Each structure stands twice: as structure tokens, then as C-alpha cells.
Amino acid sequence: MRWSSPPSWRSMVVTIVAVLACAADAANILAVETMAGMSHWNFMSGVLRALVDNGHVVTAFTPFPAPSDGRRRHVNYTEVDLSRELLPSVNNRLTDVQQMWSTPVGQVYKWLRLSRNACDKIYGHPAMKDALRRHRDGRARFDAVVVEPFLSDCVSYAAGRLRVPLVYVTPLPAIGLMERAYTGHASNPAVASHLVADHGIPRTFAQRLSNAALSAYCAVAVVCANAALRYIEPKEYDAVPPVTPSLMFVNGHYVSEPSNPVAQSVVHVGGIHLKPPEKLPEDILEFIEQSSHGVIYFTFGSTVKMSSLPEHIKNSFIEVLAQIPQRVLWKYEGELKNKPKNLMIKKWLPQRDILMHPNVKLFISHGGISGLYEAVDAGVPVLGFPLFGDQHRNIDNLVNTGMAISMDLFSVSEETLLKHVLELVNNKKYPMNAKTISNIFKDRPMTPAKSVVYWTEYVLRHNGAPHLKSYSLNLTWFQYYLLDVISFAIILISVVFFAIYKMLRFIYKCTSIFYYHILKAKTE
């Protein structure tokens, strides 16, 4: 178990006094990060930071613990290191990432097994076993459980064991594959694109058809795979009934998400990971400020290793970036052959601080939603190369706002790439639209951090707030989709038409007999 830091005794006293002042209302919260992706932890840590800053006591199980530097920033925050159990997924080969996450078709069973394997490792951790023990008087050690869900309902086991409210935190802009199970509702595929669809809005018949097929496939595949794994590999957590969340914090916002109906238990807190910008390192600051034509920032995030791009694609980027007057900051691992003079490469770059500099003119991105919110907040246009998961949808939603252009990485050509880079940099409509979207993004009645604190405390005040949960959670799948009502209506209509048919047939028969006798009488 690892604490996050211990400072001087004076600041410690101040912190303790502040915490004690809130002690009457402070809650003990157990937080679990189940995914070993840095962007996932950035969002989760933003949620936890809001709770900790408000005086709540948080114990966080994470594969990304803070460095042990001998200091302790918060006495009410404890970290448990899961980096050995859940190996952090950073700087992976592009082909490996695409094979694993590009589409749910044929992958749902594998994803569910991955989720259950994570549960095995988390619940097998000695610190977690201790956390799930109750006090001698029967009270739970925690008042709520905050966890990131991923397909398997095994992540709700801790809340079920402790019998406390469950709060889900998803770093994605929409709930996705498990929306019906978590909220009781499923998005209408005619108007809401699936999380892993290649479009932001299903505008055409083909898009609505593929969207409906993808939604139906995922719904059926998840249920079947869950049932199969429970039967083939029964676990201790399978014996505890799944808990539906009292609340869901989603990394969404209506600048990047089309307006859609959501359950009352769903709260959008997109951008909660954003922190005030800090001073840039001297070499980066000098590189940016000495560029009279501005700077382009280029990265594909922490998950994909940029040096694993196919050589012909890397060469296309190098050739195009060498032709433009702007300087380029490129997050790149290792050495780059034939590096242009206007290019600076580093293994790590302070993305948030770079994008907030006024001389940054363009962000070339893979479409991770956290990075896009940083660009939106800074008002910087985006050239997107979506790779997998929700990234196609994320980029397309920004294209619809007029602040981005989307391209396919594997069919990129130098001519098209240069054309789009120059279009985004030189056409004033893109930065103007980006600034407009930025203003909308910042215009909120309450900050994301305050929303997290308010709704978490609301759930605690009202014993899990069951009134926020939809009644549809009590319905079976055929009741929810009105299949019983539709079946009854079909049967009723069939009976009515059958009765009418029989009646008309009887009338016809009677009429035929009547006319037959009249004709016979006339003939005689």
C-alpha cells in the first residue's frame, strides 16, 4: 500500500485541521481502476481528486501509483499499487492495438475474459481482501465504491459484498456496450451512433442499418459471453448478485456528443481531467515562441508507439511536415532518420501545456477523447487519424462542429495530407469554429469537479438514491423492447382479420346459396 506523499509538519497540521473540519460529512470511498490505460486513469484520478479536495477519504487501487518521493500531499488519500497485477498498457505496437481493440465483432468473449482476469487479480490482492472485511460490529469499512466498468459485472462485486452504493466512472464519451445493463435503457440506433461506430451521427440508411446491426450484435454477444464464462469458469464473485450503479460519471459533453436522452443516474463530466496549464520547459517554450508561423503538435497518445507506424506512413508525414512553414512538436520514441529542421521530437511532451500556448495552430491526433477535450478547451483545430474504439466517432463529432478534418491513416498520401494540413492552418473558419466550441465547452452551470462532489454526496445522503434508477431495470429484455405487446397486437390483429375473413366468407356463402335458389326458381 502506498501513500501519495508527506510534506512538512506545518502543512500537515493545516491539512489535518481542514480534513477534521469536514470529518462529520466525509465519506470513506473505495476506488478501483480496472483498466491499465493511462487515459483511463487520468479521468478516474480527476474524479477522485475532486472528492479528496472536498475532504472525503479515498483509498484507490491503481496500476498507475504516484511516484514514492517521500512526500504526502493528502492525508485523506491512499493508493494501492496494482502495476504488477495489471500491467500498464503504454507504447504498444499499432498492429497489436488494432487487432485487440479495432472492433467488437469476434472480440467480445476475449474482452470479457480480460475483464474477469482483472477482477481475479484485484480481488486476490491482500489489500483488497482486507478492504472487503467488515468491522466487528458488522459495519462496512467504506461508504461507497467507485470503479471503472468494463463489460463484466464482476467489477460490482466489492459494492455487493460491502452492501454500499456503487458509482461507475467511464473515461469514454458514452456508456457503450453495457448501457442497457447499467441504466436500464438502450440508445436508439436510428439517432445515436454506437460507441465503436465509424460515424458520429447515423445520417444515411446504410449507417442506420450498420448501427442497428452493431448494437444488436453487441447486446446479444455480451449476454451470451457472460453466461458462457459464468458456466465454464465460475468464480467467487459470480455468487454475489450484480449491483446496478446508483450513479455513472461519463467523460462526455454536448460539444463532442450529439444531444441524446440519458437516464437521470448518468452525469456528464467531460474534461474533469483538465488542470491549469503549467510553465513549459525552456527548450519547448523557446521552440514554440520562436516560430513566426506557429506550431503544430503531433501525437497518437500514450497507448500507441509512434515508432511502430509502417515506414511508408512515417515517411509521408516526414515529407509533408518538412514542406510547411510551421514548426512541429512530435511525440516520438527513439531516433528519426532524416529529421527535418522544423521538427522537434521527444518521448514525452506536456500535451496540456503545449495546446494552451497561443502559438499552437493545429493538433494532429488519433482521437482519444481526453486529448480532444484538451484541444477543445484550448480552441485548437484538429486533424484526426482515428485508429480504434471510440476514436472514429469522436473525430467525426468534431468534424460535424467544423473544427476538425478526419483522415484514414493507412491510405494517407502526401498530397492529401499536405492539402488538409494547410487547409486547417490557413483557413480561418477552423480556428474560429474551434474558439466557438471552446466557449460552449466552458459555459457550464457547475464545474465537472463540483458536479462529481455534489452527485456523489447526493447518493450518499439518500442511501444510494434508488429513485434515480430507471424502472426499466426491472423489465426483461422482451418487455423493454415491447415484444410482448407487439406479439399481443399481432395476435389480436390476426384474430380480428381472421374473424372478418370468416364473416365475409360466411356472407359470401349465404349470398351464393340465396342467389343459387333464385336462379334455380327462375329456371324452373
Side-chain angles (χ1 to χ4, degrees):
M1 188 173 289
R2 143 181 347 208
W3 289 83
S4 206
S5 5
S8 66
W9 66 270
R10 289 179 178 171
S11 58
M12 180 78 78
V13 169
V14 172
T15 304
I16 292 174
V17 170
V19 171
L20 290 176
C22 300
D25 298 321
N28 289 315
I29 297 172
L30 174 63
V32 185
E33 177 53 76
T34 61
M35 296 294 290
M38 193 64 208
S39 60
H40 292 249
W41 175 241
N42 285 341
F43 182 70
M44 171 69 87
S45 61
V47 171
L48 301 184
R49 185 169 57 248
L51 297 172
V52 168
D53 290 345
N54 208 58
H56 296 290
V57 181
V58 174
T59 301
F61 286 71
T62 172
F64 298 98
S68 295
D69 53 6
R71 296 178 301 160
R72 191 165 164 187
R73 296 176 182 86
H74 293 95
V75 296
N76 56 330
Y77 180 67
T78 306
E79 282 185 342
V80 180
D81 187 354
L82 291 179
S83 59
R84 292 183 179 179
E85 289 75 16
L86 306 178
L87 296 178
S89 179
V90 293
N91 291 331
N92 299 290
R93 291 180 57 83
L94 175 60
T95 52
D96 296 338
V97 173
Q98 282 210 307
Q99 287 175 3
M100 184 65 182
W101 302 109
S102 61
T103 174
V105 178
Q107 297 278 26
V108 170
Y109 185 86
K110 186 188 295 185
W111 291 355
L112 267 163
R113 175 166 275 177
L114 180 68
S115 179
R116 288 169 67 87
N117 286 343
C119 286
D120 292 341
K121 294 173 181 178
I122 292 168
Y123 297 133
H125 196 288
M128 178 58 75
K129 291 181 178 179
D130 183 63
L132 296 181
R133 293 192 185 100
R134 305 180 75 85
H135 290 293
R136 292 182 179 180
D137 60 4
R139 291 183 298 108
R141 295 170 182 260
F142 297 94
D143 301 302
V145 173
V146 177
V147 63
E148 180 182 342
F150 180 61
L151 293 184
S152 176
D153 50 27
C154 67
V155 296
S156 72
Y157 171 69
R161 272 283 301 272
L162 297 172
R163 296 194 291 276
V164 296
L166 174 65
V167 177
Y168 276 162
V169 172
T170 175
L172 303 173
I175 300 172
L177 280 67
M178 298 294 288
E179 185 176 11
R180 168 83 175 102
Y182 296 159
T183 69
H185 294 284
S187 294
N188 183 350
V191 293
S193 292
H194 194 274
L195 182 65
V196 295
D198 61 358
H199 48 266
I201 299 174
R203 299 180 186 277
T204 67
F205 172 77
Q207 288 176 337
R208 293 197 305 274
L209 179 62
S210 64
N211 201 44
L214 183 59
S215 300
Y217 170 83
C218 290
V220 174
V222 168
V223 171
C224 293
N226 247 323
L229 285 169
R230 281 171 171 267
Y231 179 77
I232 297 170
E233 303 172 356
K235 306 287 185 178
E236 179 185 352
Y237 45 74
D238 291 329
V240 177
V243 179
T244 54
S246 299
L247 202 61
M248 281 202 72
F249 291 123
V250 179
N251 194 15
H253 188 277
Y254 39 80
V255 299
S256 61
E257 284 295 301
S259 181
N260 287 308
V262 295
Q264 290 178 324
S265 58
V266 176
V267 180
H268 288 88
V269 290
I272 194 170
H273 69 291
L274 298 176
K275 298 178 182 178
E278 298 180 358
K279 186 178 179 180
L280 287 164
E282 288 299 328
D283 58 337
I284 297 176
L285 183 62
E286 182 179 344
F287 183 81
I288 293 175
E289 293 189 339
Q290 289 185 359
S291 178
S292 57
H293 296 282
V295 168
I296 294 172
Y297 176 56
F298 183 13
T299 178
F300 282 170
S302 60
T303 301
V304 174
K305 193 174 183 179
M306 190 71 81
S307 57
S308 69
L309 293 179
E311 285 299 320
H312 71 280
I313 294 177
K314 280 194 288 188
N315 291 335
S316 294
F317 278 114
I318 293 171
E319 290 296 325
V320 168
L321 296 178
Q323 298 179 46
I324 59 177
Q326 288 78 24
R327 289 184 174 183
V328 181
L329 282 165
W330 188 355
K331 178 185 172 294
Y332 188 90
E333 312 78 19
E335 296 297 322
L336 193 64
K337 295 179 181 179
N338 303 319
K339 183 174 76 70
K341 294 181 180 180
N342 66 332
L343 189 63
M344 174 186 281
I345 61 170
K346 285 182 176 291
K347 293 181 180 179
W348 178 86
L349 288 164
Q351 179 168 295
R352 166 71 168 160
D353 308 326
I354 289 172
L355 288 173
M356 290 299 291
H357 195 285
N359 206 27
V360 174
K361 305 300 181 183
L362 178 63
F363 179 32
I364 302 178
S365 169
H366 65 309
I369 193 63
S370 294
L372 293 186
Y373 282 146
E374 292 177 359
V376 167
D377 189 59
V380 176
V382 175
L383 178 59
F385 290 90
L387 303 176
F388 60 90
D390 60 317
Q391 295 166 5
H392 294 84
R393 184 176 181 273
N394 298 341
I395 291 292
D396 195 48
N397 281 326
L398 286 192
V399 171
N400 293 334
T401 67
M403 65 168 285
I405 292 176
S406 180
M407 294 185 67
D408 177 50
L409 181 66
F410 297 97
S411 62
V412 66
S413 66
E414 293 181 22
E415 181 182 354
T416 307
L417 177 59
L418 179 61
K419 173 186 173 184
H420 288 326
V421 168
L422 294 177
E423 171 72 8
L424 285 161
V425 170
N426 297 327
N427 192 330
K428 293 183 179 180
K429 77 171 185 179
Y430 291 101
M432 288 177 61
N433 290 337
K435 297 299 181 186
T436 300
I437 296 302
S438 179
N439 291 333
I440 296 172
F441 182 69
K442 297 172 183 176
D443 190 357
R444 312 189 193 195
M446 188 183 296
T447 65
K450 289 182 179 179
S451 294
V452 163
V453 172
Y454 173 81
W455 284 108
T456 302
E457 292 178 348
Y458 181 92
V459 165
L460 293 169
R461 284 196 303 270
H462 298 288
N463 301 316
H467 53 279
L468 293 181
K469 297 183 181 180
S470 172
Y471 175 75
S472 60
L473 287 165
N474 302 317
L475 300 178
T476 61
W477 63 272
F478 61 84
Q479 290 174 325
Y480 177 77
Y481 291 106
L482 289 177
L483 296 184
D484 52 345
V485 174
I486 294 171
S487 299
F488 175 79
I490 291 173
I491 292 171
L492 181 61
I493 292 170
S494 299
V495 168
V496 170
F497 273 97
F498 183 74
I500 292 172
Y501 167 73
K502 283 291 188 180
M503 188 181 302
L504 292 175
R505 187 175 178 184
F506 175 75
I507 294 172
Y508 175 76
K509 189 176 181 180
C510 292
T511 305
S512 298
I513 294 172
F514 175 73
Y515 280 108
Y516 173 76
H517 287 294
I518 291 177
L519 289 172
K520 187 177 180 182
K522 287 182 177 180
T523 304
E524 292 177 352

